[in-house]
Amino acid sequence: MPATVDPITLDIIENALKNARFEMDNVVVRIALSPVIREQHDEFPMICNERGQMVVGQFGSYIPAIVEKFRGDIHDGDVFVWNDPYACKGSISHNNDWCVMMPIFHDGVLVGFSSIFGHMVDVGGKVPGSMPVDAHTIWEEGLRIPPVRIYERGVLNRGVLDIMLNNTRTPDMNRADLMALIAGCRTAATRVRELCDRFGRETYMAACDLLLERTHAAMKTLIETYIPEEPVTFEDWVDDDGLGNGPFRMRLSIYRKGEKAVFDWTGTDDQAPGPINFHIHEGLCKLFFGVYMIMAFDPSIMFNEGFYDLFEIVLPEGSLLNPRFPAALSNRLNTHTRFFDCQAGALGQRAPHLSMAAGYGTSPHFIFTGHDRDGRYFQLMELLFGGVPGRPRGDGLDGHAWWPLFSATPIEYIENYYPVLVESYRPTRDSGGAGLHRGGCGIEKVYRLLEDGRVSIQDDREIVPPWGINGGLYGGTSSKWIIRAGSGERERLPSKKDNLAVKAGDTIIFITAGAGGWGDPLDRDPALVARDVRHDLVSPGKARSDYGVVLKEDGSVDDAATEALRAAMRAERGEPAPFSFGFTPPERIAAQ
């Protein structure tokens, strides 16, 4: 007979697992060396039940595929590692993500798994950072590791470790980061065994099942409430693939079939020649839809895999979201984040009061490599952020990450460890789309380089702006510039560029996209618009043209002039459009 779990015990186990998941984060960032994991927290932990279903965490779905590969040949003390997206059914989506997994045994009985993947600053390949913008195949993107044991029954497999570290430009950082991921998994295993000791193994395992069942029931209610039986469809676009091709259409249809929600990507463009393809596992696709619905509609729901059987996914083979091997994948986040934009646009048609606009739409990165005056190799990699969408609850965040736990690399860290001065770091004025709730602003970061070397950059939403919703306006696009030392010449760079030769004294200006606004900007409190002007987030000209707010010379609101201007703008405009795109799809241009 299955163990029964009283509500108080279930609550204690739930919160203990949540705490263990955050403890995994803390252990990892204390041990890691790379700025991407140590400072920016680009690592994702989870704790699973004995069937490999995520009970707490951020990314699930992949443990059963790894267990199946080893056909039950899994033992206490084993730790598995891999990074090949094609060899693990898309559980991780580019070679830079090294994933570790360990089984958790209690008195010889398998009770679960712990796992973390984290972004390594370099895994080999044709360019430093291993994310070439001009890759045609995954062979150009660095070392591919199938699922293998890095520890077997507690003993380190030095041959595997040596091969992994021999194929990176940053072996010291990679070794520290890998051991940090393993330490995080071991921490979770310790906490799970403690729970089994405290409450009994059967009670613990039954509690995990109950947590999954509770999320299943809650998601079923969300689907019945917010997913219509008639399909709703939305399209968004990725700028380009780094090889001159694009823009690329992503098309999503959502509807309800019985108690299941169907997410159908039919109509999405074929896979790209360049590295923006997103080889997404069906389970991971379900996870992304689930986390969006939970965060948009009911954040109190525990995020786990309990809802998976309520979702049906259609991923056309050979498309941008289901590419055929050996398609390049390294810059797949341009497509990944547009995934969320399409979901917001589709759901926003039936529940506009709960949806949000589009955001900065990728994971921009800046890489600077070379040798310092002492001949030592350096490799700075930094993820940059942009505008987070306007939303029902308020303005979007300025210069924030898509992933809630990510943080910006401290300028002190960059300047202490790399030959770089960060001359400014600020929001980009007028990049947040106007709305009742303003879209978040992108950021402008200015780097002055102190050594000769090479720079690689990657970004998107330079061509296709982040759209606004419910009358909100689209946000600002991204741009990149270099100012050459001596001449002072300012040259615009493409949004995707590898191995740009730079000299000491050159300046790189990295501007990320903003986000779309939410709601009619003519309904925004004029005092908030005046505040945004004072904070240099909105220009006086945009305050007038987009918000209908007239400011006096001292920056205060001219109430009478504002009321009159807004009345005239409403009369001329009529009802605001449900979406503001700022982009005309190629087929419409051809038809004109």
Side-chain angles (χ1 to χ4, degrees):
M1 173 179 287
T4 58
V5 185
D6 65 83
I8 295 176
T9 299
L10 183 63
D11 244 11
I12 293 172
I13 291 175
E14 174 188 357
N15 285 285
L17 287 172
K18 288 179 178 178
N19 288 337
R21 170 253 185 276
F22 286 111
E23 188 179 0
M24 294 169 77
D25 281 322
N26 290 331
V27 168
V28 169
V29 300
R30 286 175 181 273
I31 298 172
L33 282 182
S34 74
V36 176
I37 292 183
R38 184 180 184 86
E39 300 295 335
Q40 299 206 273
H41 304 174
D42 191 351
E43 45 82 25
F44 299 89
M46 67 173 182
I47 302 172
C48 304
N49 65 10
E50 78 282 4
R51 297 184 299 277
Q53 296 171 287
M54 183 183 75
V55 181
V56 295
Q58 292 170 280
F59 284 84
S61 82
Y62 54 80
I63 300 298
I66 307 303
V67 173
E68 179 185 349
K69 175 181 172 65
F70 288 90
R71 300 180 183 277
D73 182 22
I74 295 176
H75 309 282
D76 197 1
D78 288 352
V79 179
F80 299 84
V81 64
W82 66 91
N83 80 329
D84 183 358
Y86 290 105
C88 60
K89 301 182 180 179
S91 61
I92 42 96
S93 52
H94 71 163
N95 292 354
N96 289 80
D97 287 335
W98 284 6
C99 191
V100 300
M101 177 203 85
M102 67 176 294
I104 304 173
F105 288 86
H106 179 260
D107 292 339
V109 176
L110 180 68
V111 295
F113 297 88
S114 57
S115 183
I116 311 178
F117 70 85
H119 183 107
M120 301 293 145
V121 293
D122 190 279
V123 294
K126 63 186 290 187
V127 299
S130 312
M131 294 180 287
V133 302
D134 62 349
H136 292 79
T137 69
I138 197 170
W139 303 112
E140 302 162 75
E141 298 175 336
L143 178 69
R144 294 168 53 228
I145 310 160
V148 294
R149 288 182 176 89
I150 187 73
Y151 280 86
E152 185 168 3
R153 299 179 187 263
V155 178
L156 175 65
N157 187 332
R158 294 191 178 276
V160 169
L161 181 62
D162 288 347
I163 291 170
M164 294 169 67
L165 299 182
N166 197 53
N167 284 275
T168 170
R169 298 170 180 86
T170 56
D172 292 342
M173 280 189 178
N174 285 37
R175 188 185 194 285
D177 289 1
L178 174 61
M179 294 304 164
L181 301 180
I182 293 170
C185 286
R186 287 175 172 160
T187 298
T190 297
R191 299 294 172 251
V192 168
R193 284 191 286 266
E194 289 171 351
L195 288 172
C196 290
D197 288 339
R198 179 179 179 186
F199 296 105
R201 181 169 60 243
E202 292 77 14
T203 298
Y204 169 78
M205 296 172 76
C208 289
D209 289 342
L210 286 173
L211 293 174
L212 294 170
E213 290 170 11
R214 193 172 64 185
T215 296
H216 180 279
M219 183 61 72
K220 187 176 179 181
T221 299
L222 292 187
I223 290 171
E224 292 172 351
T225 305
Y226 296 111
I227 304 297
E229 291 185 337
E230 290 297 317
V232 289
T233 300
F234 193 81
E235 294 180 354
D236 205 347
W237 300 77
V238 181
D239 282 1
D240 66 277
D241 67 348
L243 294 173
N245 306 298
F248 290 86
R249 180 204 317 267
M250 293 181 62
R251 187 175 194 269
L252 173 63
S253 297
I254 301 177
Y255 59 95
R256 178 161 48 89
K257 185 170 64 177
E259 66 177 19
K260 288 192 174 184
V262 181
F263 299 86
D264 186 350
W265 290 100
T266 300
T268 295
D269 278 350
D270 291 344
Q271 66 190 64
I276 62 166
N277 302 293
F278 188 21
H279 181 56
I280 186 171
H281 183 280
E282 180 181 311
L284 195 58
C285 194
K286 292 178 179 181
L287 182 145
F288 290 147
F289 284 124
V291 69
Y292 181 91
M293 291 185 65
I294 287 172
M295 297 309 296
F297 301 138
D298 189 354
S300 67
I301 297 173
M302 185 179 184
F303 178 49
N304 59 39
E305 292 188 24
F307 55 77
Y308 271 28
D309 66 340
L310 294 172
F311 287 176
E312 181 179 319
I313 307 297
V314 180
L315 292 168
E317 186 178 359
S319 70
L320 207 60
L321 289 170
N322 190 9
R324 298 183 179 92
F325 178 83
L329 308 173
S330 58
N331 290 315
R332 84 286 183 228
L333 272 171
N334 301 330
T335 304
H336 184 177
T337 47
R338 209 69 83 256
F339 181 108
F340 293 118
D341 291 337
C342 285
Q343 187 176 4
L347 294 174
Q349 295 174 50
R350 294 299 175 91
H353 60 296
L354 292 173
S355 193
M356 64 181 184
Y360 66 103
T362 184
S363 185
H365 68 250
F366 169 80
I367 298 173
F368 176 40
T369 63
H371 291 83
D372 64 21
R373 60 198 61 190
D374 297 319
R376 292 187 298 248
Y377 178 74
F378 62 85
Q379 182 171 317
L380 167 64
M381 178 186 171
E382 181 180 22
L383 304 176
L384 288 94
F385 309 140
V388 173
R391 55 215 162 109
R393 297 185 179 186
D395 293 348
L397 303 176
D398 304 314
H400 202 276
W402 265 112
W403 312 111
L405 297 182
F406 276 22
S407 59
T409 307
I411 291 171
E412 296 83 356
Y413 180 96
I414 294 173
E415 295 183 342
N416 273 326
Y417 289 101
Y418 299 97
V420 174
L421 285 178
V422 179
E423 295 195 328
S424 68
Y425 181 64
R426 56 178 293 165
T428 305
R429 183 172 59 179
D430 291 334
S431 60
L436 171 65
H437 299 147
R438 178 179 54 78
C441 289
I443 59 99
E444 176 189 274
K445 196 161 192 175
V446 180
Y447 304 88
R448 182 151 59 90
L449 311 178
L450 305 181
E451 297 283 359
D452 296 353
R454 294 185 178 274
V455 161
S456 294
I457 59 175
Q458 195 281 327
D459 202 356
D460 205 71
R461 285 226 183 266
E462 182 181 65
I463 299 169
V464 183
W467 43 266
I469 193 170
N470 299 337
L473 303 185
Y474 61 86
T477 53
S478 65
S479 62
K480 313 291 172 287
W481 307 83
I482 183 169
I483 301 175
R484 296 290 184 180
S487 69
E489 179 183 352
R490 182 182 173 114
E491 172 190 349
R492 184 153 187 171
L493 301 172
S495 64
K496 302 169 182 65
K497 177 72 175 176
D498 277 331
N499 284 329
L500 173 70
V502 293
K503 295 289 187 182
D506 288 350
T507 299
I508 299 290
I509 303 172
F510 201 124
I511 300 173
T512 63
W518 190 98
D520 189 346
L522 300 184
D523 291 335
R524 185 170 175 84
D525 185 344
L528 295 179
V529 178
R531 180 205 63 186
D532 287 346
V533 171
R534 288 196 304 273
H535 293 170
D536 203 29
L537 302 173
V538 174
S539 67
K542 284 289 186 180
R544 186 184 186 96
S545 64
D546 290 355
Y547 293 96
V549 173
V550 181
L551 300 176
K552 301 176 182 178
E553 288 188 7
D554 64 0
S556 63
V557 177
D558 186 326
D559 293 324
T562 295
E563 184 177 350
L565 178 58
R566 284 185 162 184
M569 292 173 69
R570 284 193 176 94
E572 181 179 352
R573 182 200 65 190
E575 285 298 314
F579 293 95
S580 168
F581 291 101
F583 171 74
T584 303
E587 67 268 17
R588 294 185 191 171
I589 295 175
Q592 291 174 354

